[in-house]
Amino acid sequence: MQRSQQPPVGPSPRKSDKGMAIVAVVLGVAVVGMLALLVGLPDDGAETPTTPTVKAEPTGSVSTPVPVEVIPTTTGASAEPTPDPSASALEAVFTAAVKQREALRDADSYKLGWLGRSMCEALEEGRSFSEAAALGTGGFDQETSVYIARLAVANLCPGQGKKVPG
């Protein structure tokens, strides 16, 4: 009894499939090469100009050199502390909170911020809450001044919260 031969399972490799594989590999290498060029390869040591070069043409007149002003720089720590970038955001929150009160809606934001900072400075210098709140009585009544002082402590100097009466 003779057995019939069955064809192998799965597709048989064709010559055109091998050619497609070679083309795919070549294209893959080309894409990787292009990406490497776009990202940038290590510098080959050649200088690349960053600004255009301008050649000066000699003129008939000779100018005298102008003395150069030397601006002194500090090499040590700065005398002025670097301002806290979040301070302006805190102040904006403070002034927005203060302006929730009807009587203060049209108040100048800069003046409110200054008053809040002044109240906080007074507390940090050791003054009592009532003394700090009294700083606002020049422009506001006592109740409004206390309102501003409470918001100043809550938003600008929360470390002074223990001085706020309950």
Side-chain angles (χ1 to χ4, degrees):
M1 191 169 177
Q2 195 174 10
R3 292 182 136 193
S4 65
Q5 218 175 11
Q6 293 187 358
V9 179
S12 63
R14 292 181 253 152
K15 287 187 178 183
S16 64
D17 287 343
K18 289 180 184 176
M20 292 298 282
I22 292 172
V23 169
V25 169
V26 170
L27 284 175
V29 170
V31 168
V32 170
M34 293 300 286
L35 288 174
L37 287 174
L38 289 175
V39 170
L41 297 176
D43 191 14
D44 62 356
E47 282 191 33
T48 54
T50 55
T51 58
T53 306
V54 178
K55 292 185 179 181
E57 295 293 325
T59 60
S61 66
V62 176
S63 63
T64 58
V66 177
V68 177
E69 181 182 352
V70 177
I71 301 173
T73 59
T74 59
T75 56
S78 167
E80 294 266 332
T82 305
D84 182 8
S86 64
S88 60
L90 291 173
E91 194 171 305
V93 170
F94 164 72
T95 56
V98 168
K99 287 186 172 201
Q100 293 300 309
R101 184 170 258 197
E102 185 66 37
L104 297 171
R105 285 202 191 196
D106 297 327
D108 183 274
S109 295
Y110 177 79
K111 289 180 182 177
L112 289 174
W114 177 85
L115 180 59
R117 287 189 310 274
S118 298
M119 289 175 170
C120 283
E121 287 173 12
L123 291 169
E124 289 165 356
E125 290 170 357
R127 293 188 185 159
S128 69
F129 180 79
S130 60
E131 289 174 317
L135 292 173
T137 57
F140 305 105
D141 60 33
Q142 180 69 28
E143 181 184 337
T144 303
S145 185
V146 168
Y147 170 78
I148 294 170
R150 285 181 182 274
L151 287 172
V153 170
N155 290 286
L156 301 176
C157 52
Q160 301 298 319
K162 61 188 173 288
K163 294 184 179 179
V164 178

